[in-house]
Amino acid sequence: MELLAINQKSKGDDDNQGPSLTSQNRDERVLARRIRVEQRIAQKKRKTLGIISPVEDEHKDEASLAKDQTEQSRQRLVKLEEDGLEFVTNIRVGQDLLEHQHRLEEEEATRKRNERLEQDTKSSKEKFDEIIRNWESARTKELPRELHELLMAQKHACGTMLEEKNKLIGELEKELKNKDDYYVKMLRKFDENVKLLVERMNEQVKSRRMYYARELHAIEEAFIKERQELLDKYNREWTEKLEERRFKEEQFVVSRFERHDTFERELQRLRIKQAEEFNATKVKLENQVQEQQRKIEEMKAIYQLSQEKYEYNYKVLKKRDEENLLTIGVQKNRKIKLNDLLTSLKRKLVQKEKQFKSESIQAAEEYKRTLGNIQEIKRKAKHFLTADMEKFHELWIMNEERCKEMAQKLLDADRIIFEHQLGLIWTPPDLDFMNNIGPIDATKIPKPSIDVVREILTDQQDDSSIKQTTSHLSNTTMKNMLELLCDEGDFLIEPKLLALLEPLESNEKNLIKLDAIFRALKIENEEDIEVMAKYFIDYIQQNTDQQSKVYVSSGAGPEQEEEEEEDEEGTDTSHQQITDTVDNRVELIHPNHVLKALIEFLDEYRSHQKYVFAIYLFKR
Amino acid sequence: MTEETTNLAPPVDNTVVPSTTETQPVTDENLRSPTEDAIQTEIKYSMLNPELKPVRRIIADDLEWSLRIVPALTDLALNSLVKSFDTNPKYNELLDKHRNQLLKSLPTHVPLKVTAPLVEDENYWQKCCKEKWPICDIKQYDNSWKRFYFEKHIEEIIENFVPSQTDTKQLFEYVNLGAQYVKRLDIKQLLPPVEMQDKILQNEDEFFDDDEDNDLNDGRDAELKKPLCDHFDFTELIKRLPNLEELHLVYGVKGCGMNFDWNMFEFTKKDCQILAKCVQQCKTLRVLHLHRSKVDDLKIRMLIRDGLLDHPTLEELNLEHNQISDRGCRAIAKLLNGHSKLFRLNLCNNLIGPQGAQAIAYGVTKSTTIEYLNLRLNRIGDEGGQAICLALLINQSLCELNLSSNNLSEPTGNKLAEILNRNKSLLKIDMSANRLGGDIGKSLQEGLQDNSTLLYFDLRMTECGQESEYIINQKLKANREQDRLIRIQEKNSHDTKGRTYSHLF
C-alpha cells in the first residue's frame, strides 16, 4: 500500500517536474528511476525516524498529565457506572428470579389442581352414574316405603355429591382468595421494588452527577495545571532568554563604552605625548642650533687664535732649525774622532785573547797531574783501613773466644751449684750474646729521631744517607709520610708554638712541628719512626730490607758513600728505579685515617716499650 | 456627579437637542423593550436635574401624563399582527428581527392550522410544548420541538380516542397538518369501545343482583359485542403519515383502577387484521413494538402472515409481555429465516417453551442480520438453551443475547462455555437468574480465557461462585478496555465510519 502510494506520489512528482519514467530519452529514464529509489529510501527513513521524532515525544510528555488525569477519571467513572448499573439492575434480576420461581411453583400447583379436578370429575361421574342407575331402579320399585328409602338414599347420595362439589368449590375459592392476597402482596412488593428502583436510580443520578462534576473539575484542574506549568516553563525560558540577551547587550554596551573610553584616553595620551615630544625635540633642536652656532663662533675664535699661534710657532721653529743645523755639524766631527778610537781598542782585545788561551791550556794539564796524585793517596788509605779492620777483627774474636770459655765455665758452675748444692732446677739465663761473633757495630746504635727527620727533610738528593736511616722505605715516601703527619698532627702541638711558627719557612716549620709531635708521642729514635711508618703505609716492600743490609755491610762514611755513588752509578740507578717503582705502588693511608693509625701505633708501641723495658730490667 | 452636573449646567438650551437625539435611536432601534429604556432614561434625567428634563415632557396638570415614550410604529404594527395572526397571518413577508419579535409575543393558542405550515422556529414550538407538557425529553425526537409537539399531540388524541364515539375529523386535521413531522408514535393505551364500558358499568351494577345469570349473560354479551369490540382503526391514520418509522402499541387501558375488566385488555382478531394490513401498507416502518397486548400464537401468526412477512424495512420487532408460545415462535422463526431484515428481536416475558426456542434457534442460524435477541422470562429450559447455544456456533451476526430467568442449568452452561471459545461476534450475554452452579462458573471462566470479543456477561444469581465471577469480570474489563482502544483508533483513522455501540453503554 505504502509503496503504491509512494509510487503514485513519485509519479505525480514526475508528472509535475523532473525527468519522466516514460520519457523517450534513455538517460532521462535512468535518471528518473534513480530519483525514485532515492525518494523511497528517504521516505522509509522518515517513516522509521518519524515515529520517534522528538517533537512528538515532547508533545507526549506535555500531554501526559492531563491524559493521565482523564484516563484515571474515565476509569473511575466507568467503574462507577458499571457498579451503579449493577446496583440498579440487581433489583430487576432479583425480581426476575422471584418471578421465575413463582412461575415454577405456579406450574406445579396448576398441574396438581388439574389432576385433582380430573380425579374429582371421574369420581363424581361414577357417583352420578350410580345415581342415574338408581333412578332407573326406582321405577321398578312398587312399595312406597322402598321407594321412600330409595329416594332417601338417592337424596343422600346427591347430598354427599353436592357436598363434595361444594367442598371443592370452597377449596378453589379459598385458593383464589389466597391468590388474591398473594397478588395484593405481590403488588405491594412490586411497588416497593419500584420505589427502591426509583430511589436507587435517583441516588445513582445524584452520585453520578456529583462524580462527573468532580472528575470534570479534576480534569479541568489537571489541564489548567498542565497549562500553567507549560506557561511557566515557557515564561521562564522566555525570561531567561530575555535576561540573557539583556545581560549580553548590557555587557556589550558597557564594554563598548569602556573601549571607547580607553581609546579616547589612549588618543589623548598619545596626542599629549606627541605634543610633548614635539615640543621637547623642537626645544632641543633649537638649543642644539644655538649651541652649534655658539660653537661655530667659538671655533671661529679658536681658529683665529690658533692661526696666530701657529704663525708665531712657525717663526720660532724656523729659528730653531737654523740652530740645529749648526749643532749637527759639530756632532759629525765628534763622531769621526770616536770611530777612530774604537778600531784601536778592538785590535788590543784580539791580542789579549790569544794570550789567555795559551795560559788556560797549561793550567788544565797541571790539574790532571794533581788529580792522579790524589787517586793514588786514596787507594793507599783504603788499603790501610781494611788492613786495620782485619787486625781488629781477629783480635776481637780471640778475646771473645776466651770470654766465652770463661762464661761457659761460670755457667756450668752455676748449674752445679743450683742442682747439687741448692737442689733447685737450674734454668739457664739468656745466652744470646754467646752466639755473637765479631765486634759490635757502632753504627747500629740508633740515631736520635730528630736528626733522621732533619736529614730526610733537608737532603732530598742524598739518597745514601736516607737509605741508611730508613731501612726499607724510600726517601720520598718517608717525606710524604712525615708531611702528612705534620699536617694532620697539629693537635699535638701547642697553639702558642704554632703561632710562633707562622713566619718561618715551610721546611723549618715542619721540622719544629715534627719535633714537637715526636716529643709528644715519645718517639726518640729512628726505629720508632720506622715502626710508626708501618702504620702509615698499607703495603711494605721486602726488597728494600735486603738492599739496606747490603749497604750496611759496605757502608763506611758519608763521604765514602758519595764516591761510591759515582763509581757504582749503574747498579745504583737500577736500585733507584726499583725503589721508585715500588714507591709508586706504595700508598699512604688517607689523611682521615691518620688519627686512627696514630692511636693504633701508640697502643702497640707502648706495649712494645714495656716489653723492651721489661727486657732491660731483666738484663739488669 | 456634582462636577458632571456643573459641567452640564451652563448650556441649558443646548442639552435638549442631544437628549432627544439620544433617545430617538433608542426608541427606533431597541425593539425588545423600548418602553423600559425610555422609562429608565426618563428617570435618570429627572434624578439628575429636574430642570434639564426635555421641554416637551413638561405638561402641567395633566393627570394622565406618564413618563413612557410613545411606542415605535413597528412595535405597534407587530402587536396588531400578533392579534390578528389567526385570521390574517403575515410571517414570511417580515424581516428576520421583526419575525423573531413577532414569534416572541405570539401566543400558543393560535390555531395549528395557521402556525403549523408557517412557523418553523423552534423557540415557538418549545414554548408550545412547555406549556402543554412540563417535562419534555427532546433528545429522542431528533432535538426537534415541532416533531415533539405533533407526535405528542397525535399520541394524546389516539390514546384518548374512544372508537365509534370520538370524532375522527379533529384527529385527521391534526394529522394532515403535522404528517411530515411524525416519525414515531408511542401509544401507551388504546381505549375499548364505549359500549363495552357501558356494559361493564352495567355489569357492575347488576353484579350484586343475581349471581346465577352473570356468567351466562356476560358471555352472551361479549359474543354479541365482539364485532364492535375493536380499538382504534389505524388504517386511515397510517396512510396519512408518510414518514412514520416507529410504531409502539399497547392494546390495553392504563390506570383503569377499580373498573378493571379483562375485556379492556383484549386484542381482538379484527384488531390484529387491521394492524397487519396497516403494517403491510406502511413501507417506511422500521420498528414495531407491541407489548402487554395478550398477543397469542394465533394472532402473532396472523400478524406475521398478513403484515410482517417480507416487509421491506422492518428492523426491530418487540413483543414483550405477551402470550406467545411455541407455535408463534415458529412463525417468528420463519420471519427470521430470510423473510425480513430483522436486527433486533425482543420476546421478553412470553410463554415460549423448548420447542419454540429450538425454532428460534433455527431461525437464528439462518439469519444473517439479527444482532439482538431477548428471551428473558420464558421457559425454554435446557433443551431450548442448548439449541440456541448451538445456533451461535453458526451465526456470526448476533451481538447481544439475553437468556435471563429461563430455567437453564448445567447442560446449557457447558454448551455456552464451549461456544465462548469460538464465537467472535457476541458482545453481551445475560444469563442471570439461572441456576448454573459452581462447576459451570469454572468452565465458563476457562472458556473466556481465549475470548477477546465478549464485553459483558451477566452472571448474577447463577450460583457460579464468587471467584469465577470475579475472574470473568476482570477478563471482561480487559476486553472492554481493548475494545475501547480499538474503537478510538478506528475513530481516529476514519472518523465518519465506526461501529456504534452507544446502545450498549
Side-chain angles (χ1 to χ4, degrees), chain A residues 1-6:
Chain A
M1 272 292 281
E2 279 157 6
L3 274 176
L4 266 176
I6 294 157

Side-chain angles (χ1 to χ4, degrees), chain A residues 151-354:
Chain A
L151 274 174
M152 288 307 284
Q154 281 292 79
K155 197 184 174 186
H156 185 71
C158 280
T160 50
M161 206 175 106
L162 274 174
E163 217 168 89
E164 266 174 31
K165 286 281 171 197
N166 276 335
K167 201 178 154 196
L168 190 68
I169 286 164
E171 274 175 14
L172 285 173
E173 269 177 355
K174 202 177 162 195
E175 221 168 276
L176 194 66
K177 209 169 179 234
N178 282 344
K179 279 278 156 201
D180 274 345
D181 287 351
Y182 181 75
Y183 175 68
V184 171
K185 224 164 77 188
M186 284 300 281
L187 267 182
R188 210 164 287 151
K189 189 143 193 258
F190 284 165
D191 191 44
E192 269 172 29
N193 270 339
V194 167
K195 270 180 190 162
L196 191 66
L197 196 68
V198 168
E199 195 182 303
R200 280 186 182 184
M201 278 166 127
N202 279 333
E203 208 173 282
Q204 197 62 28
V205 166
K206 260 186 216 163
S207 66
R208 263 199 216 181
R209 191 174 289 159
M210 192 180 77
Y211 278 109
Y212 276 128
R214 198 180 290 170
E215 295 301 331
L216 185 70
H217 187 67
I219 289 167
E220 243 175 26
E221 264 183 2
F223 268 109
I224 286 166
K225 199 178 157 197
E226 194 188 307
R227 185 168 159 279
Q228 197 60 38
E229 272 172 12
L230 268 179
L231 271 178
D232 283 354
K233 198 179 125 203
Y234 286 136
N235 267 337
R236 222 179 305 126
E237 271 176 23
W238 182 241
T239 47
E240 266 172 23
K241 289 265 163 64
L242 270 179
E243 194 67 23
E244 202 180 325
R245 196 190 144 78
R246 201 174 62 80
F247 182 67
K248 274 185 182 165
E249 292 261 350
E250 272 177 4
Q251 257 187 343
F252 178 69
V253 166
V254 166
S255 65
R256 207 184 118 94
F257 274 122
E258 273 174 8
R259 245 184 303 146
H260 183 256
D261 283 357
T262 50
F263 286 153
E264 213 160 62
R265 243 178 285 133
E266 189 74 9
L267 263 177
Q268 191 67 24
R269 198 177 58 77
L270 281 174
R271 218 176 278 150
I272 290 163
K273 198 179 156 192
Q274 210 64 23
E276 277 172 1
E277 268 178 13
F278 176 72
N279 282 338
T281 44
K282 200 182 166 188
V283 168
K284 208 170 92 189
L285 283 171
E286 276 173 356
N287 283 343
Q288 273 180 356
V289 166
Q290 282 177 359
E291 187 84 4
Q292 290 296 325
Q293 276 178 350
R294 198 171 49 76
K295 269 182 186 170
I296 287 167
E297 293 295 321
E298 275 176 10
M299 288 303 281
K300 272 182 182 171
I302 289 163
Y303 169 72
Q304 206 80 27
L305 271 173
S306 53
Q307 203 180 16
E308 285 171 9
K309 216 161 77 184
Y310 288 146
E311 274 174 5
Y312 171 73
N313 280 355
Y314 180 66
K315 281 174 188 167
V316 171
L317 282 170
K318 259 191 174 172
K319 273 183 183 169
R320 274 188 190 170
D321 193 35
E322 285 167 10
E323 282 172 11
N324 284 345
L325 279 174
L326 281 173
T327 49
I328 283 167
V330 174
Q331 291 296 331
K332 266 182 181 173
N333 290 337
R334 201 189 274 175
K335 193 187 167 186
I336 292 163
K337 280 177 192 171
L338 285 172
N339 268 339
D340 290 344
L341 193 72
L342 180 71
T343 46
S344 64
L345 281 172
K346 271 181 180 173
R347 229 177 289 140
K348 277 182 189 171
L349 178 70
V350 170
Q351 281 176 359
K352 283 281 176 187
E353 270 182 354
K354 275 179 186 171

